[in-house]
């Protein structure tokens, strides 16, 4: 899975953010009025949910600060934007997306290094992967500056606000499902989240997923047998009860104890030449409608008496040609979050195989 990268925020150059607003006029040192470059016609505004979200920001000393984040705009650039900039080779051909948002310090203390607020903010692509945060240096072909290179303030006093912009790179052809921020820290799937859905994102991902019962090959690393394609299918997704998980063997965070458990059953077949250790549940992800990937907790749990999700298969091996159904436990947290799909995280970074979730 691609994870957001921090490529050095202190070395970016200041540029004209007026690109996001279209054409403006500026005076040079001699007082001559000159037009600034127009916003490129290839850029597209993406309709993202408005509104501010109240979250907690942890500074470098792990001190909590209450802040408010308000998304202002999301603009899809063009591949050409990356052509004139100095970027990593792996990002060549990617499409930049410019996210503008406002941060307000709603707490009683001054926040040091407020640029770190965006460390927990990212784009979820319609390929179910996180967009890669980048800082573009250099200009767009034709001499036009790029946005998202402004400096946040060094500190943020109580009640003060600043507006900033962050660039995320997504592969060509991939849309945006949502803007998301994990309340518990960087990619903390067990905590609450703040979400700004992007119109059309859910419809896009819905068009490319399998139905429950569809058999789809998934790539699995079988060690000595190498990479195997195991025929797999989603059997069911059942809503459980937190009362089912009162045993001491399953570690739950405080946030998870107020969440809702779901039991996901997937069947797969061993196509290899030797017995296969049935550890597929570790690769199952319960996906929410906003793109959160909730990992399973079942491998921590050895009690086979969980209603609706028995775990007595955990220590068995699957013979060649044999099939087995595994049940995994996923705890969904966050108000309004609910299962949307089930994904199998394939070996060698091949991405998710995804089935639509019909919750029973």
């Amino acid at each position: 899975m691609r994870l957001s990268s921090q490529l050095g925020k202190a070395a970016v150059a200041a540029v004209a953010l007026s690109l996001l607003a279209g054409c403006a006029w500026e005076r040079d040192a001699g007082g001559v009025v000159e037009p600034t470059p127009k916003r490129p016609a290839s850029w597209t505004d993406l309709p993202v949910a408005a509104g501010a979200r109240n979250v907690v920001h942890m500074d470098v000393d792990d001190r909590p600060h209450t802040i408010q984040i308000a998304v202002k705009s999301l603009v899809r650039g063009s591949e050409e934007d990356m052509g004139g900039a100095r970027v990593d080779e792996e990002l060549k051909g990617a499409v930049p997306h410019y996210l503008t948002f406002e941060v307000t310090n709603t707490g009683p203390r001054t926040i040091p290094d407020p640029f770190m607020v965006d460390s927990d903010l990212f784009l979820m692509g319609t390929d179910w992967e996180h967009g890669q945060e980048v800082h573009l240096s250099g200009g767009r072909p034709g001499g036009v500056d790029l946005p998202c290179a402004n400096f946040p303030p060094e500190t943020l006093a109580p009640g003060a606000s600043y507006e900033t912009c962050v660039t995320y790179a997504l592969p060509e052809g991939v849309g945006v499902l949502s803007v998301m921020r994990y309340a518990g820290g960087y990619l903390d799937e067990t905590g609450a989240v703040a979400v700004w859905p992007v119109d059309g994102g859910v419809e896009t991902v819905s068009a490319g997923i399998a139905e429950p019962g569809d058999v789809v090959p998934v790539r699995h690393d079988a060690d000595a047998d190498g990479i195997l394609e195991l025929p797999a299918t989603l059997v069911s997704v059942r809503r459980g009860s937190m009362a089912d998980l009162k045993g001491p063997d399953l570690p739950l965070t405080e946030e998870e104890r107020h969440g809702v458990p779901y039991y996901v059953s997937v069947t797969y077949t061993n196509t290899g030449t030797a017995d296969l250790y049935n550890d597929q549940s570790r690769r199952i992800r319960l996906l929410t409608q906003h793109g959160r990937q909730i990992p399973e907790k079942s491998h921590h749990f050895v009690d086979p008496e969980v209603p609706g999700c028995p775990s007595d298969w955990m220590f068995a091996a699957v013979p060649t040609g044999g099939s087995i159904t595994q049940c995994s436990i996923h705890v969904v947290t966050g108000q309004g979050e609910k299962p949307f799909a089930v994904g199998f995280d394939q070996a060698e970074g091949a991405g998710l195989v995804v089935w639509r979730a019909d919750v029973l």
Side-chain angles (χ1 to χ4, degrees):
M1 181 167 69
R2 292 190 312 277
L3 298 181
S4 301
S5 63
Q6 304 297 316
L7 302 182
K9 301 185 179 184
V12 294
V15 298
L17 291 180
S18 58
L19 285 173
L20 291 178
C23 182
W25 294 80
E26 294 183 344
R27 291 184 181 272
D28 63 14
V32 178
V33 178
E34 295 182 352
T36 60
K38 290 184 178 180
R39 162 178 157 153
S42 58
W43 288 7
T44 305
D45 292 299
L46 301 181
V48 60
R53 308 287 190 269
N54 295 310
V55 298
V56 176
H57 166 65
M58 304 296 292
D59 65 23
V60 293
D61 295 320
D62 289 331
R63 292 173 300 187
H65 301 270
T66 56
I67 62 173
Q68 188 176 82
I69 297 178
V71 170
K72 299 296 185 178
S73 68
L74 178 60
V75 177
R76 179 168 51 232
S78 65
E79 181 181 337
E80 185 183 18
D81 297 352
M82 307 281 276
R86 294 183 289 275
V87 297
D88 291 348
E89 188 64 30
E90 67 184 47
L91 295 177
K92 297 295 186 182
V95 178
H97 290 67
Y98 309 120
L99 176 68
T100 301
F101 57 95
E102 183 182 62
V103 177
T104 301
N105 182 359
T106 58
R109 299 192 307 271
T110 295
I111 300 175
D113 300 323
F115 71 87
M116 295 187 64
V117 166
D118 67 78
S119 297
D120 302 327
L121 193 71
F122 65 95
L123 295 189
M124 173 59 72
T126 53
D127 60 350
W128 303 98
E129 303 285 359
H130 302 145
Q132 189 166 5
E133 183 177 341
V134 297
H135 291 274
L136 304 181
S137 57
R140 191 176 189 274
V144 179
D145 287 330
L146 292 167
C148 295
N150 59 321
F151 287 106
E154 294 185 0
T155 61
L156 192 64
S161 301
Y162 75 93
E163 188 171 294
T164 190
C165 177
V166 176
T167 302
Y168 299 89
L170 295 177
E172 176 66 37
V174 173
V176 183
L177 179 59
S178 65
V179 178
M180 189 180 298
R181 186 186 187 277
Y182 289 110
Y186 183 62
L187 300 183
D188 177 16
E189 293 286 8
T190 67
V193 295
V195 177
W196 294 263
V198 175
D199 287 357
V202 171
E203 290 76 12
T204 299
V205 298
S206 297
I209 61 179
E211 294 294 321
D214 288 350
V215 178
V216 184
V218 297
R219 292 176 61 81
H220 167 71
D221 188 350
D223 296 327
D225 275 1
I227 301 298
L228 301 178
E229 288 197 343
L230 309 179
T233 185
L234 173 64
V235 177
S236 65
V237 179
R238 296 180 178 274
R239 180 183 173 120
S241 168
M242 195 54 65
D244 301 339
L245 310 180
K246 293 297 186 182
D249 296 324
L250 187 65
L252 297 172
T253 66
E254 187 62 31
E255 187 75 25
E256 286 176 321
R257 293 186 185 280
H258 295 90
V260 179
Y262 291 87
Y263 310 139
V264 177
S265 294
V266 175
T267 295
Y268 69 92
T269 302
N270 179 10
T271 58
T273 59
D275 289 355
L276 185 66
Y277 176 62
N278 56 341
D279 61 347
Q280 305 308 309
S281 66
R282 297 191 183 202
R283 292 193 170 273
I284 299 299
R285 307 287 185 262
L286 187 61
L287 310 174
T288 72
Q289 74 274 24
H290 297 134
R292 289 180 66 192
Q293 297 188 21
I294 311 296
E296 59 86 33
K297 302 187 74 73
S298 319
H299 64 276
H300 296 291
F301 204 64
V302 296
D303 184 356
E305 302 302 324
V306 177
C309 195
S311 55
D312 52 356
W313 44 261
M314 291 185 69
F315 303 105
V318 186
T320 299
S323 298
I324 193 168
T325 299
Q326 292 185 303
C327 181
S328 54
I329 301 170
H330 307 256
V331 180
V332 177
T333 59
Q335 186 175 5
E337 291 291 283
K338 58 183 179 181
F340 174 78
V342 170
F344 186 100
D345 186 17
Q346 300 185 95
E348 295 187 324
L352 293 177
V353 167
V354 181
W355 292 269
R356 180 172 54 82
D358 289 334
V359 180
L360 302 177

